[in-house]
Amino acid sequence: MSEIQDAKWYVVHTYSGHENKVKATIENTVKNRGMEDYIKQVIVPTEDVIETTKTGKEKVRQRKIYPSYVLINMIITDESWYIVRNTKGVTGFVGPGSKPVPLSEEEVKSMGIDLDKIGEKRTEIEVGEVVNVRDGLFKGQSGIVKEIDLKNETVKVCMNSSSGNEVSLELDLKSIETI
């Protein structure tokens, strides 16, 4: 009787400010119960915004696109529904009545969510901050952020080379991490 189903995207409403807690709790429960085949992905849609601090530095911050909502890619079973519905901070699935209604792929895309980029971890980075290089020739070395280009998702990082000279590198945002 086991029917193969594709996971679909569902929207879950949460208490305001509880989106990341709900995401972490569901992910931990899924891992502990071995439900990875049923609850595939939990995301809090965010976008990068540039803010200028009081000192005049530009800082990249993530802002929730849909506050109080979490998207879950899952196959609905009694157990997967129960896990999500009974997570602390969840008020319910979005849809008429008590039955969760899946989003179409077009709806997910129309929400401005790039399904190809989901799962990429972004961090808050600001000019003047010390960062570590995660991959490439300079992997494991640290440098100072000199410029941030959000449009091209790159940063210029200044670091010392093995010869003692200062080197300026242009790196992808995802190839660096804050210390």
Side-chain angles (χ1 to χ4, degrees):
M1 184 182 152
S2 86
E3 181 183 322
I4 308 256
Q5 289 179 288
D6 286 332
K8 295 191 177 3
W9 287 98
Y10 296 88
V11 180
V12 174
H13 187 263
T14 69
Y15 293 125
S16 180
H18 285 71
E19 303 88 351
N20 291 327
K21 288 179 199 162
V22 165
K23 177 183 188 303
T25 302
I26 291 172
E27 288 173 342
N28 287 337
T29 304
V30 165
K31 188 176 177 187
N32 292 338
R33 293 193 183 186
M35 294 286 293
E36 293 91 344
D37 290 340
Y38 295 95
I39 300 176
K40 309 265 187 193
Q41 207 167 16
V42 182
I43 63 165
V44 177
T46 59
E47 63 184 353
D48 289 337
V49 290
I50 301 173
E51 293 180 344
T52 305
T53 63
K54 290 178 185 174
T55 59
K57 292 183 181 178
E58 284 190 345
K59 184 176 185 176
V60 180
R61 184 181 70 81
Q62 286 192 329
R63 179 176 68 198
K64 292 176 185 78
I65 299 172
Y66 303 105
S68 299
Y69 292 97
V70 175
L71 290 176
I72 303 178
N73 187 240
M74 63 187 286
I75 297 169
I76 293 285
T77 64
D78 289 345
E79 189 175 2
S80 66
W81 178 88
Y82 182 86
I83 287 170
V84 174
R85 183 63 191 91
N86 292 292
T87 297
K88 186 176 180 185
V90 170
T91 61
F93 281 91
V94 172
S98 60
K99 189 177 190 309
V101 177
L103 294 174
S104 68
E105 198 169 311
E106 292 77 32
E107 288 172 318
V108 174
K109 287 178 182 172
S110 74
M111 293 172 78
I113 297 160
D114 186 349
L115 296 176
D116 297 328
K117 289 194 170 194
I118 289 174
E120 288 181 9
K121 191 80 171 155
R122 298 290 292 277
T123 56
E124 291 186 10
I125 297 172
E126 59 183 73
V127 173
E129 191 169 3
V130 178
V131 294
N132 274 338
V133 180
R134 294 189 340 195
D135 51 38
L137 186 61
F138 291 89
K139 180 178 180 176
Q141 295 187 36
S142 59
I144 298 171
V145 176
K146 295 294 181 187
E147 289 178 32
I148 301 170
D149 181 354
L150 283 181
K151 184 179 174 196
N152 295 315
E153 296 192 9
T154 60
V155 290
K156 281 199 177 152
V157 177
C158 204
M159 53 183 34
N160 290 324
S161 69
S162 55
S163 62
N165 295 328
E166 205 170 80
V167 177
S168 182
L169 299 173
E170 187 168 311
L171 302 166
D172 282 347
L173 272 174
K174 51 187 173 224
S175 69
I176 60 168
E177 61 190 357
T178 56
I179 297 178

